[in-house]
Amino acid sequence: MSEEPFYPTDDFRPMWAAVWQLRTRRLALGRRPLLMGVLNVTPDSFSDGGQFLEPQAAVDHAWRLAAEGADILDIGGESTRPYAQPVPAQEELRRVMPVLEALAGRLPIPISIDTYKAAVARQALDAGAEIINDVTALRGDPAMVPLAVQTGAAVCLMHMQGTPQTMQENPQYEDVVGEVYEFLRRRRDAALAAGIPLERIAVDPGIGFGKQLEHNLALLQNAWRLHALGCPVLVGPSRKRFIGQVLGDSEADRRYGTVGAALALARQGVQILRVHDVAMVRQALMVFEAAGGLDPIPLGAPPAGPT
Ligand code: HH2
């Protein structure tokens, strides 16, 4: 990693990814991040577990997220929170497929399937999903890479140290930003070598996946460095534990802290944010942009004030 102090400016933008090619459409990536709305059809997700297990409740929530301005809907049927138990593919399919079938072809925004199991991704793609959001970065199931190649699905490659069952048992790094960067570079190159084009690949540092507070903060502060991989950068800070740790209050309402993280990431040109609270984050980002929050900071001394 470069040691020079550096802050991204508009001069740096031309090398950042400007589109994410999905299976059947292209998402234009602009200055303000797109929002991936989270829909967990699980009994045990860390912040919304059990809320959308009933298919109709999940479908209603999907429409609500789209109405609030989500650009992508991410549907998951297995929690990957620390210590969550894996569920068999059949159970994951039983949770997500009725929801996907009710939404596909109707919901105007593209659907992403949050799974590391090829059997789940295959059926979701058949039903109309456009993106495979794989928290194992396509390492969890050998059938996932060929599936992505054959279907032309877009992929999100996320960094995780360990597995959800082990990842919070004292995760260690010498240089978390450098190591996560290298991991994503290797996974990007493996995807490219297998035949997944660069424009279909997004990368994600995996906030909370095998990371302590200092690691999460270093990754949030340095997310802009991932632009050098040439792929859209996606980050999921939403309602995560680091927020309570920063606040020194494990009971705090983490939605406010999510907004703070989202603004810091937007400032660094992160193209996609995965969030539960779409309306709240979207409104904050729109006002942040209008107030100049995405403009380069003018360098040099401030003009002399009145004497
Ligand atoms: N975080 C979670 C799940 N999937 N995918 C990506 N690409 N990036 C993330 O940061 C990410 C993710 C965990 O959050 P959530 O879905 O709310 O919880 P759970 O895994 O308990 O369902």
Side-chain angles (χ1 to χ4, degrees):
M1 291 280 97
S2 155
E3 289 307 312
E4 296 154 49
F6 179 79
Y7 206 78
T9 70
D10 273 358
D11 301 342
F12 191 65
R13 280 183 190 271
M15 67 174 288
W16 298 0
V19 291
W20 193 14
Q21 177 67 52
L22 309 186
R23 194 173 178 199
T24 68
R25 45 186 144 174
R26 283 161 89 80
L27 278 183
L29 309 170
R31 260 164 52 108
R32 174 154 49 84
L34 299 185
L35 298 182
M36 174 186 256
V38 179
L39 178 60
N40 287 317
V41 191
T42 61
D44 57 345
S45 286
F46 76 91
S47 79
D48 56 359
Q51 257 179 283
F52 310 115
L53 199 51
E54 180 60 37
Q56 193 55 50
V59 170
D60 291 348
H61 192 60
W63 282 101
R64 193 174 315 129
L65 292 171
E68 287 178 1
D71 302 284
I72 304 169
L73 178 74
D74 189 38
I75 304 184
E78 173 179 328
S79 172
T80 46
R81 72 174 205 289
Y83 309 112
Q85 285 308 309
V87 298
Q90 278 314 319
E91 172 61 15
E92 208 176 318
L93 284 165
R94 198 186 63 75
R95 293 176 185 174
V96 297
M97 288 312 293
V99 181
L100 252 159
E101 278 158 5
L103 294 171
R106 299 190 178 92
L107 199 73
I109 57 174
I111 297 176
S112 153
I113 178 75
D114 187 345
T115 190
Y116 56 88
K117 299 185 192 88
V120 175
R122 184 175 294 113
Q123 288 204 31
L125 293 166
D126 283 350
E130 299 258 341
I131 301 166
I132 303 170
N133 174 23
D134 185 343
V135 297
T136 71
L138 310 181
R139 297 172 302 159
D141 183 335
M144 201 63 121
V145 169
L147 178 69
V149 174
Q150 284 154 19
T151 57
V155 295
C156 177
L157 306 176
M158 196 196 79
H159 175 272
M160 166 164 52
Q161 188 182 95
T163 66
Q165 292 73 50
T166 62
M167 66 190 183
Q168 287 311 110
E169 288 165 10
N170 200 22
Q172 298 290 334
Y173 301 84
E174 291 214 341
D175 164 14
V176 64
V177 177
E179 288 167 45
V180 167
Y181 183 94
E182 268 311 296
F183 171 88
L184 293 174
R185 190 184 60 74
R186 284 198 306 274
R187 296 311 301 157
R188 177 203 65 181
D189 289 350
L192 288 172
I196 303 174
L198 185 65
E199 60 185 4
R200 294 187 191 268
I201 302 172
V203 293
D204 180 340
I207 300 300
F209 285 84
K211 280 117 189 164
Q212 309 198 34
L213 175 62
E214 67 198 269
H215 306 134
N216 287 318
L217 294 182
L219 290 167
L220 290 168
Q221 291 157 13
N222 289 279
W224 61 271
R225 292 181 189 270
L226 300 178
H227 292 306
L229 292 167
C231 307
V233 179
L234 190 157
V235 184
S238 193
R239 301 187 189 170
K240 285 190 178 161
R241 194 158 70 101
F242 77 88
I243 296 168
Q245 292 173 312
V246 167
L247 299 173
D249 177 1
S250 59
E251 298 298 308
D253 181 339
R254 297 182 188 168
R255 293 176 306 165
Y256 304 106
T258 300
V259 170
L263 300 183
L265 293 164
R267 181 89 187 97
Q268 297 174 63
V270 164
Q271 290 99 333
I272 304 151
L273 297 173
R274 181 182 182 277
V275 295
H276 300 85
D277 305 290
V278 168
M280 196 181 273
V281 175
R282 186 158 183 275
Q283 289 179 24
L285 287 170
M286 288 176 76
V287 176
F288 187 68
E289 182 177 25
L294 298 179
D295 298 340
I297 295 171
L299 299 175
T307 47

